[in-house]
Amino acid sequence: GENVEQHPSTLSVQEGDSAVIKCTYSDSASNYFPWYKQELGKRPQLIIDIRSNVGEKKDQRIAVTLNKTAKHFSLHITETQPEDSAVYFCAASSQGAQKLVFGQGTRLTINP
Amino acid sequence: NAGVTQTPKFQVLKTGQSMTLQCAQDMNHNSMYWYRQDPGMGLRLIYYSASEGTTDKGEVPNGYNVSRLNKREFSLRLESAAPSQTSVYFCASSLGASGTYEQYFGPGTRLTVT
């Protein structure tokens, strides 16, 4: 089955700097890659997703890139702000997005 | 719209007790899911229901059963709770149609088994 590895497990950056979180997946049939943000004590919420027919997708300060050959995808957050502090999860799916396999999560802290 | 709702919010069980976690969505979604979240392990899929009348196992189904009661409701049952089932449980739903994959999560149930 699919296996998703996420790095780093914790990341601390200065406000205004960029943050990058990386994930690798094992199943070459995976074709859907969402990123979820979870604030402390809250539910996970989708922030951006990408499908395997696209190499990059941007939404304001966040972007996701996908390298199908290497089987890895990354989340990029630019001009970080204190409200970006949260745990971020990547996920991958090959079955019409029904069975998401999540990475272990990255705790991002933005230092003022 | 309330979105995805879960009851209860908190629960403490003794080993061997049973309980049912309830989940409901009012977004007319076809697909529903149950996940557990443990520290350092992300979210792991327990069971899912692609559409009313169907259920399938996820990564960690052992010790759990589910019922898709109708299109709105999807319950998770622990028949004989064990300390290893101490976790936060999230229900989620998605439209399930081609091109609309976003999963919407409920607020979670924090379960402790002693």
Side-chain angles (χ1 to χ4, degrees), chain A residues 36 38 43 51 89 97-99, chain B residues 31 33 37 99 103 105-106:
Chain A
Y36 283 82
Q38 186 177 30
R43 69 192 78 187
R51 307 202 192 151
F89 293 97
Q98 301 287 22
K99 293 181 75 169
Chain B
S31 304
Y33 314 82
Q37 184 174 34
Q103 293 190 16
F105 285 80

Side-chain angles (χ1 to χ4, degrees), chain A residues 32 36 38 42-44 46 49 51 89 95-105, chain B residues 4 31 33 35 37 40-43 45 48 50 57 90 99 101-103 105-107:
Chain A
Y32 175 65
Y36 283 82
Q38 186 177 30
K42 301 287 182 64
R43 69 192 78 187
L46 180 74
D49 57 9
R51 307 202 192 151
F89 293 97
Q95 300 187 26
Q98 301 287 22
K99 293 181 75 169
L100 286 177
V101 176
F102 283 83
Q104 298 89 339
Chain B
V4 181
S31 304
Y33 314 82
Y35 292 92
Q37 184 174 34
M41 299 191 72
L43 292 138
L45 183 64
Y48 71 103
K57 295 178 180 179
F90 286 99
Y101 298 154
E102 180 174 359
Q103 293 190 16
F105 285 80

Side-chain angles (χ1 to χ4, degrees), chain B residues 65-77:
Chain B
N65 286 300
V66 291
S67 295
R68 184 73 182 267
L69 305 169
N70 47 55
K71 190 172 185 179
R72 290 187 62 247
E73 299 173 287
F74 189 38
S75 62
L76 178 72
R77 182 158 178 86

Side-chain angles (χ1 to χ4, degrees), chain A residues 1-20:
Chain A
E2 175 66 277
N3 182 53
V4 177
E5 297 286 335
Q6 182 172 346
H7 299 281
S9 56
T10 61
L11 180 61
S12 183
V13 301
Q14 290 298 119
E15 183 177 352
D17 287 351
S18 296
V20 181

Side-chain angles (χ1 to χ4, degrees), chain B residues 3-103:
Chain B
V4 181
T5 56
Q6 292 182 234
T7 55
K9 287 187 166 53
F10 302 94
Q11 183 71 49
V12 179
L13 291 178
K14 294 187 188 309
T15 298
Q17 289 185 319
S18 62
M19 79 162 295
T20 300
L21 281 65
Q22 307 286 354
C23 174
Q25 52 87 13
D26 62 0
M27 296 178 282
N28 200 33
H29 284 173
N30 296 302
S31 304
M32 299 185 74
Y33 314 82
W34 276 105
Y35 292 92
R36 61 177 288 173
Q37 184 174 34
D38 302 296
M41 299 191 72
L43 292 138
R44 291 182 292 168
L45 183 64
I46 304 171
Y47 271 94
Y48 71 103
S49 170
S51 60
E52 188 178 354
T54 69
T55 60
D56 281 292
K57 295 178 180 179
E59 293 175 77
V60 288
N62 292 346
Y64 305 95
N65 286 300
V66 291
S67 295
R68 184 73 182 267
L69 305 169
N70 47 55
K71 190 172 185 179
R72 290 187 62 247
E73 299 173 287
F74 189 38
S75 62
L76 178 72
R77 182 158 178 86
L78 286 71
E79 290 291 352
S80 179
S84 60
Q85 294 178 306
T86 293
S87 189
V88 179
Y89 291 85
F90 286 99
C91 177
S93 71
S94 68
L95 188 55
S98 177
T100 52
Y101 298 154
E102 180 174 359
Q103 293 190 16

